[in-house]
Structure formats: C-alpha cells, structure tokens
C-alpha cells in the first residue's frame, strides 16, 4: 500500500515562510506526478501546485510566493511557501499519481497538514 505523509505545517505570522514536505512510501513502481491541494474553512478544496518530471504548475493565487519541488528520488515533494498571507490558511493535502503493481496508476492523498497564518 502507498502512504503519503505530510509535514511542515504550523503557525506563522503574515509575511513568514513554511516548507511543506510529503513523502510517499510503499510498493511504488513510479511516481508520475506530485502536488499540493488546500482547503480553507468554508471553502472548496483547490489545487495549489503540481510537479511532473519536467514541468510545474502553480495556482495564480500563489505564483511568485510558493514553489513546488521534488527530490531526486522522486518520493518526496516539497512546497516552499514564502510571503504567507492570512488567506493561505488552510489544510494542505499532498497528492500523487503513482503506479503500483496492486492498483496500476492511481491517485493518492495525504491526510493533510494545517497551515495557519496570522495577521
């Protein structure tokens, strides 16, 4: 089974920075893509950033402030968050598209890590 575990969330003041990490573990053949979603209180879950082997995408709301990256081993994805704003407050969820023998290509989600930005 595949598990995604996020870390790095916490409490910061506006203008501060956090770096989220997500490590994928299990019987992984390959990881095709990893990314981050977030869900703020009272709002729908939204895509934040996605990274494949050669491309990255970032939501307009975080462009210039957040940067997604991936380790050489391709089992860990990071989200460097700078110039944080109160509106960035949300639970951030790791997402991955992973190929396994048991399920083939499938989507996986972490349990989320809370990011709270105070004004």
């Amino acid at each position: 089974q595949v598990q995604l575990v996020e870390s790095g969330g916490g409490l910061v003041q506006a203008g501060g920075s956090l770096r989220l990490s997500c490590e994928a573990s299990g019987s992984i053949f390959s990881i095709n893509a990893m990314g981050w979603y977030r869900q703020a209180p009272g709002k729908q879950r939204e895509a934040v950033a996605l990274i494949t082997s050669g491309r990255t995408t970032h939501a307009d709301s975080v462009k210039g402030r957040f940067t997604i990256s991936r380790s050489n081993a391709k089992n860990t994805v990071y989200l460097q968050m700078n110039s944080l704003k109160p509106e960035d407050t949300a639970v951030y969820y790791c997402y991955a598209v992973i190929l396994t023998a048991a399920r083939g290509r499938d989507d996986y989600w972490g349990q989320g890590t809370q990011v709270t930005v105070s004004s």
Side-chain angles (χ1 to χ4, degrees), residues 11 39 56 75 78 86 101-102 105 110 115:
L11 302 172
Q39 187 166 20
T56 62
N75 280 358
Y78 307 94
R105 177 182 171 274
V115 172

Side-chain angles (χ1 to χ4, degrees), residues 2 27-34 50 52 95-108:
V2 172
S27 300
I28 298 170
F29 180 77
S30 65
I31 300 177
N32 299 120
M34 300 188 79
L50 179 71
T52 63
Y95 165 80
V97 181
I98 298 175
L99 179 65
T100 67
R103 298 181 61 87
R105 177 182 171 274
D106 205 358
D107 299 342
Y108 296 86

